Amino acid sequence: MIFERQDFQQECINNIITILQDFNFKEQDNLQDNLKECLTKFYENHPLPYKATSDKLNLDILMETGTGKTFTYLNLIFELNKNHKQNKFIIFVPRKAILESVKQNIKLTQDYFYNIYKKHLKTYIYSDTKSKSSIINHYIKNEDELSVLILTNSAIDKKDNILNRRSENLFNDKSIFENIINLKPISIIDEPHLLKGDKFSANFSKLNTLYFRFGATFPDEDEFKLSNVAYILDSVSAFKNYLVKQIKVSQITSIDDDLVLLEANTKDKKAIFSYFVSGIDKKITLHYGNDLGLIDSKFRGITLQKVTKNKAHLSDGNIIETKSSYRLNQDEITNLLKVSIDLHFEKEELLFTKNIKALSLFFIPNIDDFRGEKPFIKTKFEELYKAKREEILKQNISDEYRAYLMRDFDDEGNLCVHQGYFSGDAKPSKGEKNTDKESQEARDIKLILEEKEKLISFDTPLRFIFSVWALQEGWDNPNIFTLTKLASSSSDISRHQQVGRGLRLCVNTSGKRVTHNFMNYNDSLFYDINSLDMVVSGSERSYIEGLQNEIINSSFSFNGSVLYENILDIFELKKDQKMRFFIHLQDNNILEFDEENDRYNIISPIYEYMKDNKKLKELLKDKFESILEVFKDSPNKTSQIINKNLNQTMIKIKINLANEFKELWQTINKKSKIVYKNIKNDELINAVVTKFNNQKIEPNLICLETKKYDTQKNKIITENTQIIDKITHKNTKILELLKDFCITQKLPINFCVEIYNKLDKNMIKNNPKKAFELLDNIIKDSLHTSLISSVSYEFCQNQFSNLSVEDVLYDSFGEPKSSIEAHKLGKYITKDKTPSDAYLYETAVWDSKLEEEVIFEDIKKVENSEIRVFAKLPKFSIPTPFKDYEPDFAYLLTDKNGKKIFFICETKGYDTKEKIPPDEVKKIDYAKKFFKSLEGDLKDIKVSFQTRINKQKLIDILKEVLQNDR
């Protein structure tokens, strides 16, 4: 597995280290006051969306599932040791599965952290009486050792637990846990919403030292809710920053899906019902006397008479009750299994070609459904899988993928693509005689729990995992692409937790994570791979809405298209403030109230409207900046959750204009690659080499520590630490890293070799990985200043669309498509106005008010030229050495002689060009080079690119374009 420092993880650690720079770890009294002072000072200079403090010794870190919180707090342990000489740590986890995951993470990252900190983290796990010896003789007695003790809450929450007993090996009257307390260890609580019981809290409070709570979810109770916040990366923010997968929900319905009561409200005399119409979950609120025919004509004539607790009484005598659980019949389970297997194969070959193994996870009702004498789910899965596999093998698939599928059976003909892991599963005891089947189960369980790298290898046929909620928090796998729910979950398992098992960005078989950067910052390609299909039954009413609400309620930012009033509850506004806020946005056509669903639809960008609004500043007072941050725009315009049961909103394309637009589109959308010409090698190379050689890279050292046991102090003491050797790195490994570096950075191999030949080789040999990371940063800094004059582009004449396999505007025969999905053009739709006659689409779809204005500008002629057609570009992007760049609009003009001018325009909502951020300026500079190179490839066509800011009129820009063409 390849581990890379992520900027957001480093920001989290930096926040904590900054907070604790004045914290007195040695002080016994007034620690709470000391911590509160540190937080107050930190909050003055570090804006966070939530800053509530408590009188406890906690620091809270909210991190979305799948963003590497375990890696982050392991890194934090090393930083606290380095900066504050803290040696002893405890990690508390609520379940064995999480304990196994933490243990596995420590094992996988040990070499990575050793290369940075030159230390290993010694790990102790309390499991039974056998494990207490090492805890006593090493964790407790060796105070100099950097070590962590991993405990479940059950290890300390009972008086007669082994850790709460005395031990003769300690030579004192205190219990093992009391001796641990004397070490003053720093604690980390993993999944704090599951560690809040009275017994655990009472025993945990005895530690009375600093502790960190890391979680995606925090308790609602006042005593345990989020406080003393050091860092927030909530669900919405993680998605906005391309750190987790997109979620696609398929809800499988049947003709037997009944009318379901979601809520009975006796106070307001109303009931909320759910009913599937054409496979879509419709929700409706009815009051006393309302006809159920509003839901569906089959209920016409039946009215709602009254509601009591959890019941709706109808005029035909029927009583509908709310359901807290369900049980699927065999036909429903079969249908869900079939859909899931189809989805798996739909993705698998595509991912296979990209060196990524696809896994699927199923939650099932009972162990017997997989392990029993007549395991229906296992048997039905095998039947459906074999049938689908035979169907796939008959298709025109690659030889490599076919060979992969041929390994689905073992030598005895047993299908070995599936296995279950259930609570209580364990490897057979040594010396115990086991059947081949039991041994195979044990190997597969170990594979699922402990051998993540092996599980994502194509050499391992296992790729379908079945569980009865044993795999909850603490277990996930980056390569889960399909997650199927065949059972009702208990009330304490949230939808957010369910999807969390597959949210982590996937990795290829080399262990490289497929990040947004890895996919050249291309949204379409990134989400073609990083998407999680969630398959649920029709019995899961309002699943998508519930999932959206859970994500919003646990987030401090927003990325959706609908608003519920409770989004502002976290800011504790007064009732009048909140009401006036929503009314103001509604009156100014930013929100539109949806009575049927009791929510607001967002019809215009909230952030854009709010940022300079004096009335809202006066209304929200000191909460204004924090609430504004909630609605801050993101470059990621993709929907976080997609309802696959809903037809996408389609925007009609004007066919006559599309025929004219075709040449422009296919010209700018040619497959392109960056080339470097006339690089001033000496100047650039010398700058890079000088910066690199002036740095210092410490060697990896092999140390010998001499320790002895001090009988008087009853502890192990380090007497001497001696450096006995350096770790030597072979030249072959260094050259391999050099080759990978050139490929990753898309730089000419000769250019990289010239730099390498002049570098201080001793520095590289000291720590090759760190050296190339340093070189990467230095070259990036130098490239943008030195290479802008050397960058050019080459175009493939007959290959179009550098975005995806399928062209979004034209079919494979080059004919215009009749429509395009709205989300590929923008987030907001104007329904009550008709765009300019020259606009390619019949409806305006946009992301900013400036874009909306552009679409309705009805300019037909400029001087002696005519605008034939213009369009908002559908997710078109230009590759740059920095990041891909996405212009907004393209215009086709013709002059009086019929000469064509392609004008590409980027709209910016800034008052002046000087206010455009430096990163965007760099991308614009590369875009200019792109279109200049493109123009050189064309005959008799002028290509012009410009950036249009807020106050510029289109007519003035077009006049400038035409004048430049003369």
Side-chain angles (χ1 to χ4, degrees):
M1 194 74 72
I2 298 172
F3 294 97
E4 300 168 290
R5 284 200 173 194
Q6 304 288 325
D7 290 342
F8 66 92
Q9 294 168 344
Q10 205 57 47
E11 182 184 347
C12 171
I13 291 169
N14 289 342
N15 281 9
I16 294 169
I17 297 302
T18 302
I19 291 168
L20 297 176
Q21 61 187 0
D22 295 324
F23 184 75
N24 192 338
F25 286 88
K26 297 178 181 178
E27 182 65 48
Q28 297 300 305
D29 301 318
N30 302 319
L31 285 176
Q32 286 87 346
D33 291 339
N34 184 193
L35 181 61
K36 193 171 279 189
E37 288 172 7
C38 293
L39 279 163
T40 302
K41 182 179 178 182
F42 176 78
Y43 288 153
E44 287 173 358
N45 301 306
H46 296 78
L48 287 176
Y50 186 68
K51 300 179 181 179
T53 56
S54 75
D55 292 324
K56 296 183 178 181
L57 282 169
N58 64 296
L59 284 178
D60 285 353
I61 295 89
L62 175 65
M63 288 185 78
E64 170 65 337
T65 299
T67 57
K69 61 183 174 61
T70 306
F71 179 89
T72 304
Y73 67 61
L74 292 178
N75 198 350
L76 175 63
I77 286 173
F78 284 97
E79 284 292 327
L80 291 173
N81 174 259
K82 173 185 170 183
N83 288 282
H84 299 287
K85 311 305 178 190
Q86 299 302 299
N87 286 343
K88 298 299 173 183
F89 296 85
I90 304 176
I91 298 173
F92 286 100
V93 297
R95 295 190 177 104
K96 182 185 175 184
I98 302 178
L99 186 149
E100 291 292 339
S101 175
V102 174
K103 184 172 76 171
Q104 183 190 31
N105 269 280
I106 292 173
K107 181 179 178 182
L108 289 172
T109 58
Q110 62 183 356
D111 290 340
Y112 173 84
F113 286 126
Y114 184 81
N115 284 335
I116 298 172
Y117 298 100
K118 306 300 179 290
K119 286 187 178 182
H120 281 123
L121 178 63
K122 185 67 177 174
T123 306
Y124 300 94
I125 296 171
Y126 169 76
S127 54
D128 50 30
T129 53
K130 293 178 183 177
S131 62
K132 75 173 184 178
S133 175
S134 61
I135 293 173
I136 292 170
N137 293 324
H138 298 282
Y139 180 79
I140 293 176
K141 292 183 178 179
N142 188 353
E143 293 186 22
D144 291 337
E145 179 184 72
L146 174 59
S147 54
V148 61
L149 176 61
I150 310 176
L151 301 175
T152 60
N153 55 309
S154 61
I156 63 167
D157 62 6
K158 292 183 179 65
K159 188 177 180 181
D160 59 350
N161 284 136
I162 290 173
L163 293 185
N164 286 326
R165 300 178 196 170
R166 296 173 183 171
S167 171
E168 59 185 21
N169 291 338
L170 286 166
F171 306 110
N172 60 41
D173 292 333
K174 296 179 180 179
S175 70
I176 299 171
F177 189 54
E178 286 172 326
N179 277 271
I180 291 171
I181 291 170
N182 288 341
L183 296 172
K184 298 181 180 58
I186 292 175
S187 298
I188 292 165
I189 294 180
D190 196 332
E191 304 295 352
H193 67 293
L194 298 175
L195 288 171
K196 57 181 181 178
D198 292 340
K199 290 181 180 178
F200 171 74
S201 298
N203 285 283
F204 175 77
S205 64
K206 295 175 184 177
L207 287 163
N208 195 35
T209 53
L210 182 70
Y211 64 98
F212 300 89
R213 297 194 298 170
F214 279 78
T217 307
F218 280 77
D220 295 325
E221 296 89 340
D222 286 343
E223 187 180 354
F224 301 105
K225 70 180 183 180
L226 191 69
S227 63
N228 294 353
V229 180
Y231 182 72
I232 289 177
L233 179 68
D234 57 47
S235 181
V236 173
S237 297
F239 183 79
K240 279 183 175 181
N241 289 285
Y242 305 96
L243 302 176
V244 291
K245 290 185 183 121
Q246 182 184 52
I247 306 163
K248 297 179 179 178
V249 181
S250 297
Q251 197 157 25
I252 312 304
T253 62
S254 70
I255 58 173
D256 298 325
D257 286 316
D258 297 319
L259 179 68
V260 169
L261 176 64
L262 298 176
E263 181 185 331
N265 189 319
T266 55
K267 181 181 177 182
D268 296 332
K269 298 180 179 181
K270 68 179 183 180
I272 303 174
F273 294 95
S274 167
Y275 188 72
F276 281 99
V277 180
S278 300
I280 298 170
D281 187 6
K282 297 289 187 182
K283 192 177 77 168
I284 190 168
T285 301
L286 298 180
H287 293 81
Y288 287 6
N290 286 161
D291 196 307
L292 269 70
L294 294 170
I295 300 171
D296 190 270
S297 58
K298 67 186 275 187
F299 302 117
R300 192 169 292 137
I302 304 171
T303 58
L304 176 65
Q305 293 295 292
K306 67 174 182 177
V307 294
T308 54
K309 186 179 180 181
N310 298 326
K311 294 180 182 179
H313 300 258
L314 308 181
S315 60
D316 64 354
N318 282 323
I319 299 173
I320 301 179
E321 298 185 44
T322 56
K323 293 181 180 178
S324 58
S325 63
Y326 62 85
R327 185 169 181 83
L328 303 178
N329 61 43
Q330 290 188 352
D331 287 342
E332 290 171 321
I333 288 174
T334 299
N335 201 14
L336 287 166
L337 285 170
K338 187 176 186 305
V339 169
S340 303
I341 292 169
D342 286 347
L343 281 170
H344 180 94
F345 274 106
E346 190 178 295
K347 300 177 182 181
E348 187 170 72
E349 186 178 13
L350 168 67
L351 294 169
F352 182 86
T353 62
K354 298 182 182 300
N355 210 26
I356 300 166
K357 181 181 175 182
L359 303 175
S360 291
L361 177 62
F362 296 82
F363 291 124
I364 65 176
N366 301 296
I367 297 176
D368 284 348
D369 290 316
F370 196 87
R371 293 267 178 84
E373 290 184 10
K374 295 182 179 179
F376 173 75
I377 289 178
K378 182 180 181 183
T379 304
K380 181 55 68 173
F381 169 82
E382 290 173 351
E383 174 192 320
L384 293 170
Y385 178 82
K386 289 173 184 176
K388 184 66 180 181
R389 177 179 175 276
E390 287 303 312
E391 182 185 319
I392 296 296
L393 288 171
K394 291 175 184 176
Q395 296 175 8
N396 183 25
I397 60 177
S398 69
D399 292 342
E400 293 80 8
Y401 182 52
R402 186 179 299 276
Y404 174 57
L405 294 180
M406 296 310 291
R407 295 197 296 272
D408 285 352
F409 297 85
D410 63 20
D411 294 339
E412 282 75 40
N414 299 308
L415 186 66
C416 45
V417 300
H418 59 319
Q419 186 53 268
Y421 166 72
F422 306 101
S423 181
D425 275 347
K427 292 175 284 184
S429 301
K430 289 183 178 179
E432 185 180 325
K433 191 172 182 180
N434 302 292
T435 65
D436 289 342
K437 181 181 177 183
E438 287 173 334
S439 297
Q440 182 59 49
E441 283 178 359
R443 285 194 295 271
D444 287 346
I445 290 161
K446 188 172 188 290
L447 186 67
I448 293 167
L449 284 181
E450 300 176 17
E451 300 174 334
K452 187 176 288 187
E453 289 178 294
K454 190 174 176 182
L455 184 58
I456 62 173
S457 165
F458 289 121
D459 293 331
T460 304
L462 176 61
R463 53 195 187 277
F464 295 90
I465 300 166
F466 292 78
S467 175
V468 186
W469 301 110
L471 303 176
Q472 294 175 37
E473 298 92 341
W475 189 95
D476 57 24
N477 190 290
N479 287 18
I480 296 290
F481 290 97
T482 308
L483 203 161
T484 305
K485 197 164 180 269
L486 302 175
S488 174
S489 49
S490 62
S491 59
D492 65 338
I493 299 174
S494 74
R495 295 172 175 88
H496 195 189
Q497 290 168 16
Q498 292 162 9
V499 301
R501 302 314 98 220
L503 281 184
R504 196 178 296 272
L505 298 183
C506 67
V507 298
N508 61 27
T509 53
S510 300
K512 175 66 179 176
R513 197 165 299 281
V514 182
T515 61
H516 197 231
N517 179 6
F518 188 74
M519 298 309 295
N520 294 321
Y521 304 99
N522 188 308
D523 288 15
S524 298
L525 294 179
F526 176 73
Y527 287 118
D528 280 349
I529 293 173
N530 280 302
S531 63
L532 172 69
D533 269 293
M534 185 81 192
V535 184
V536 298
S537 76
S539 299
E540 288 276 347
R541 297 308 174 107
S542 300
Y543 184 89
I544 294 173
E545 183 181 318
L547 176 60
Q548 288 172 327
N549 285 341
E550 285 181 16
I551 285 174
I552 289 170
N553 291 338
S554 64
S555 298
F556 294 86
S557 55
F558 183 78
N559 196 35
S561 58
V562 297
L563 271 187
Y564 294 89
E565 288 191 6
N566 61 0
I567 192 173
L568 299 181
D569 286 353
I570 194 73
F571 298 103
E572 299 176 349
L573 292 174
K574 294 177 182 176
K575 187 176 180 180
D576 178 62
Q577 273 181 305
K578 191 162 76 169
M579 180 183 70
R580 286 166 60 196
F581 173 77
F582 282 102
I583 290 173
H584 180 93
L585 293 181
Q586 195 176 359
D587 289 345
N588 288 277
N589 298 315
I590 307 300
L591 300 179
E592 181 180 75
F593 187 65
D594 179 355
E595 288 191 26
E596 183 178 339
N597 294 297
D598 193 26
R599 68 189 188 190
Y600 294 93
N601 294 326
I602 302 172
I603 56 177
S604 190
I606 296 176
Y607 180 86
E608 191 176 338
Y609 176 78
M610 275 187 68
K611 62 182 180 181
D612 297 316
N613 191 289
K614 293 181 180 178
K615 287 186 177 180
L616 288 179
K617 282 184 180 179
E618 292 173 6
L619 173 66
L620 301 175
K621 298 182 169 54
D622 60 321
K623 307 286 176 62
F624 176 81
E625 292 298 333
S626 296
I627 293 173
L628 177 65
E629 196 69 20
V630 169
F631 302 109
K632 192 169 185 178
D633 293 331
S634 164
N636 187 351
K637 306 300 180 185
T638 314
S639 297
Q640 187 168 3
I641 303 170
I642 291 178
N643 182 352
K644 291 182 78 170
N645 292 56
L646 284 177
N647 292 324
Q648 294 289 333
T649 302
M650 302 300 291
I651 303 299
K652 288 186 177 180
I653 297 171
K654 298 175 185 175
I655 302 300
N656 60 321
L657 294 182
N659 285 321
E660 289 208 57
F661 192 71
K662 179 179 175 181
E663 184 182 9
L664 189 160
W665 172 248
Q666 292 190 340
T667 297
I668 65 174
N669 202 32
K670 284 178 182 175
K671 190 173 180 66
S672 61
K673 68 175 182 178
I674 301 171
V675 293
Y676 300 93
K677 297 179 179 178
N678 303 318
I679 297 175
K680 295 178 181 177
N681 275 12
D682 293 343
E683 183 180 316
L684 178 58
I685 290 170
N686 288 336
V688 171
V689 170
T690 301
K691 287 180 184 177
F692 181 90
N693 289 342
N694 284 335
Q695 301 294 321
K696 189 174 182 180
I697 298 176
E698 297 293 342
N700 290 334
L701 303 174
I702 299 173
C703 301
L704 175 65
E705 285 188 345
T706 306
K707 297 185 178 185
K708 77 170 186 178
Y709 178 65
D710 188 325
T711 54
Q712 291 184 334
K713 293 183 178 179
N714 190 28
K715 66 172 70 173
I716 297 170
I717 298 172
T718 301
E719 277 195 325
N720 184 36
T721 300
Q722 181 182 357
I723 298 171
I724 58 174
D725 202 356
K726 295 180 182 179
I727 296 177
T728 56
H729 299 278
K730 295 180 181 179
N731 285 331
T732 51
K733 179 184 177 182
I734 295 173
L735 292 174
E736 278 296 317
L737 285 171
L738 175 63
K739 181 181 175 183
D740 291 343
F741 175 79
C742 297
I743 293 170
T744 304
Q745 302 307 319
K746 301 173 186 173
L747 291 170
I749 186 74
N750 291 340
F751 173 71
C752 293
V753 169
E754 283 190 60
I755 292 177
Y756 173 76
N757 287 337
K758 293 187 177 182
L759 297 178
D760 184 337
K761 300 300 184 298
N762 289 325
M763 282 175 60
I764 298 174
K765 288 179 180 179
N766 281 347
N767 192 327
K769 191 172 186 298
K770 191 171 183 180
F772 280 105
E773 286 176 357
L774 174 63
L775 184 62
D776 179 20
N777 292 328
I778 291 173
I779 289 182
K780 279 179 180 176
D781 289 340
S782 304
L783 278 176
H784 298 301
T785 53
S786 302
L787 289 188
I788 187 63
S789 60
S790 306
V791 167
S792 186
Y793 291 85
E794 288 182 356
F795 301 92
C796 301
Q797 295 302 318
N798 298 312
Q799 293 186 40
F800 303 108
S801 183
N802 55 3
L803 295 178
S804 60
V805 174
E806 184 182 3
D807 194 313
V808 294
L809 294 177
Y810 301 89
D811 63 23
S812 57
F813 300 101
E815 295 299 318
K817 292 184 177 179
S818 60
S819 59
I820 182 173
E821 294 99 322
H823 70 86
K824 291 182 177 176
L825 295 174
K827 191 173 182 179
Y828 306 100
I829 301 176
T830 304
K831 298 176 181 177
D832 55 354
K833 286 174 67 178
T834 303
S836 164
D837 290 341
Y839 191 58
L840 181 62
Y841 317 106
E842 292 188 2
T843 308
V845 184
W846 43 279
D847 287 312
S848 69
K849 293 301 288 184
L850 179 57
E851 287 184 2
E852 185 189 29
E853 291 172 16
V854 169
I855 292 169
F856 291 104
E857 287 175 319
D858 200 14
I859 301 172
K860 294 178 181 176
K861 288 196 173 182
V862 182
E863 296 184 342
N864 293 322
S865 296
E866 178 184 3
I867 298 177
R868 303 288 299 176
V869 58
F870 75 102
K872 190 172 190 302
L873 294 168
K875 299 292 181 185
F876 164 74
S877 63
I878 297 165
T880 82
F882 182 56
K883 279 187 179 181
D884 279 14
Y885 181 64
E886 298 183 356
D888 296 318
F889 290 90
Y891 293 77
L892 167 62
L893 297 90
T894 55
D895 64 16
K896 60 183 179 180
N897 299 316
K899 182 182 177 182
K900 294 177 181 178
I901 300 171
F902 294 167
F903 170 51
I904 292 82
C905 184
E906 167 70 8
T907 56
K908 290 290 182 188
Y910 303 102
D911 292 335
T912 65
K913 288 185 177 180
E914 288 70 29
K915 290 186 177 181
I916 300 175
D919 286 354
E920 291 187 40
V921 171
K922 288 176 184 176
K923 290 192 288 185
I924 290 169
D925 288 340
Y926 286 117
K928 289 175 182 176
K929 300 285 289 188
F930 175 89
F931 288 110
K932 195 69 179 173
S933 299
L934 182 62
E935 186 181 32
D937 259 25
L938 303 174
K939 292 181 180 179
D940 301 324
I941 296 177
K942 168 72 177 177
V943 179
S944 180
F945 167 78
Q946 286 202 33
T947 301
R948 178 186 184 186
I949 59 174
N950 247 343
K951 296 178 180 178
Q952 286 181 299
K953 292 182 179 180
L954 175 64
I955 190 80
D956 294 334
I957 294 177
L958 289 173
K959 283 180 180 178
E960 184 181 338
V961 169
L962 294 170
Q963 287 170 359
N964 291 339
D965 188 41
R966 290 171 184 167

